[in-house]
């Protein structure tokens, strides 16, 4: 999976919120095989996360790539300022850009998203925008300088999977050379496999693993699902048919008089 000038072996990225303890978070990340973890600067700075004082030490000790995000930001100014602070704290130009436009669905404000992306890219950031599957918005973000797009599967934390397969499939077909990552709404490993089978380059998820009865086992399940989905895509899956097609040939079949 290629993110700007870096390549990662794993196509699964994990969030770091909602885990019952830093130890559980650490074990889940290891089991997932993820090489990138997202960090909400606003959440941890406010002490909202469950990580406690050992949160940062647990993550740093894993020697993974940090992807700070601007979760909880509802304006361009908030998002840009949060990204700037995250770069100073975590020493990375990568940022998952969120500008939330709707309080109930947490749908991105795509107008503010494009504006914030343009500002941050102008400041040297490598922006991964959390967006919808809208083709026009995708064009605007790419024109602003984004090299990665992160369309939602469904609302954050909903676990509904891929709500708009047609839209996601169209996005993949329209931009075959752009790194596309499904972000948000994946509740089961089968949802992740589905995204990879559509040709997406990776997935980012949090709640499905962190809130599972056994986060470590669920992280391992997602790891296997992502690997299976990618292999299936590269192998070339069969297209659905409207009629039955026998797998056993009928030519030469014996007939009893």
């Amino acid at each position: 999976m290629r993110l700007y000038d870096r390549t990662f072996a794993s196509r699964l990225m994990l969030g770091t919120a909602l885990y019952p303890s830093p130890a559980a978070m650490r074990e889940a990340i290891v089991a997932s095989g993820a090489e990138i973890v997202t960090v909400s600067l606003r959440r941890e700075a406010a002490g909202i996360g469950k990580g406690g004082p050992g949160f940062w030490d647990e993550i740093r000790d894993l020697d993974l790539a940090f992807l700070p995000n601007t979760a909880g930001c509802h304006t361009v100014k908030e998002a840009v300022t949060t990204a700037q602070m995250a770069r100073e704290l975590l020493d990375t130009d990568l940022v998952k850009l969120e500008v939330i436009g709707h309080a109930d669905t947490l749908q991105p404000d795509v107008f503010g998203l494009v504006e914030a992306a343009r500002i941050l890219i102008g400041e040297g950031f490598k922006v991964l925008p959390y967006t919808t599957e809208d083709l026009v918005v995708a064009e605007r973000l790419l024109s602003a300088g984004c090299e990665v797009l992160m369309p939602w599967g469904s609302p954050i934390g909903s676990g509904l999977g891929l709500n708009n397969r047609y839209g996601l499939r169209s996005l993949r077909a329209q931009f075959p050379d752009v790194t596309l990552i499904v972000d948000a709404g994946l509740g089961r490993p089968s949802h992740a496999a589905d995204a990879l089978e559509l040709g997406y380059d990776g997935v980012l998820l949090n709640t499905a693993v962190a809130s599972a009865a056994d986060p470590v086992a669920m992280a391992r399940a997602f790891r296997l699902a992502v690997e299976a989905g990618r292999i299936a895509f590269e192998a070339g899956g069969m297209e659905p048919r409207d009629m039955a097609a026998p797998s056993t040939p009928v030519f030469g079949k014996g007939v009893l008089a």
Side-chain angles (χ1 to χ4, degrees):
M1 181 175 64
R2 187 168 183 80
L3 304 181
Y4 289 86
D5 57 348
R6 299 185 64 179
T7 302
F8 298 89
S10 174
R11 297 179 181 274
L12 173 62
M13 295 187 283
L14 278 186
T16 55
L18 304 176
Y19 289 91
S21 69
M25 175 190 68
R26 176 192 180 92
E27 290 181 35
I29 292 172
V30 172
S32 75
E35 298 171 280
I36 306 171
V37 294
T38 63
V39 179
S40 171
L41 183 64
R42 290 169 65 92
R43 185 190 72 242
E44 296 306 325
I48 299 173
K50 294 183 179 180
F55 175 82
W56 292 105
D57 291 338
E58 287 284 358
I59 293 183
R60 286 197 176 96
D61 186 52
L62 289 175
D63 191 30
L64 300 173
F66 294 135
L67 178 61
N69 68 44
T70 61
C73 294
H74 291 258
T75 68
V76 172
K77 183 177 181 181
E78 277 186 302
V80 170
T81 301
T82 301
Q84 291 168 339
M85 290 190 297
R87 178 161 64 178
E88 291 298 319
L89 178 64
L90 299 176
D91 191 28
T92 178
D93 290 329
L94 287 173
V95 62
K96 176 191 167 185
L97 179 61
E98 294 184 26
V99 182
I100 301 301
H102 193 273
D104 292 331
T105 64
L106 301 181
Q107 179 171 328
D109 172 359
V110 294
F111 305 101
L113 183 68
V114 173
E115 181 181 350
R118 186 174 289 111
I119 292 170
L120 291 173
I121 289 171
E123 295 182 2
F125 281 88
K126 297 167 183 174
V127 176
L128 286 68
Y130 164 63
T131 183
T132 65
E133 65 278 14
D134 188 283
L135 296 176
V136 177
V137 175
E139 288 277 14
R140 296 283 197 278
L141 289 167
L142 294 173
S143 296
C146 295
E147 297 181 16
V148 179
L149 300 178
M150 303 182 73
W152 64 347
S154 53
I156 294 172
S158 68
L160 293 172
L162 307 186
N163 269 358
N164 186 359
R165 287 177 55 83
Y166 170 79
L168 291 171
R169 188 187 295 274
S170 297
L171 190 67
R172 178 72 285 177
Q174 186 70 27
F175 305 106
D177 299 323
V178 175
T179 298
L180 299 179
I181 298 168
V182 171
D183 175 18
L186 303 184
R188 299 181 180 181
S190 57
H191 297 159
D194 199 8
L196 271 292
E197 286 179 12
L198 286 178
Y200 276 71
D201 298 279
V203 294
L204 193 159
L205 55 106
N206 185 179
T207 307
V209 169
S211 298
D214 187 339
V216 178
M218 187 60 75
R220 188 176 302 114
F222 269 100
R223 176 181 186 170
L224 295 173
V226 167
E227 292 174 357
R230 183 64 185 186
I231 292 172
F233 169 72
E234 292 176 342
M238 67 175 288
E239 292 298 322
R241 297 168 175 165
D242 292 329
M243 300 293 290
S247 58
T248 302
V250 296
F251 179 77
K253 184 173 70 173
V255 178
L256 296 178

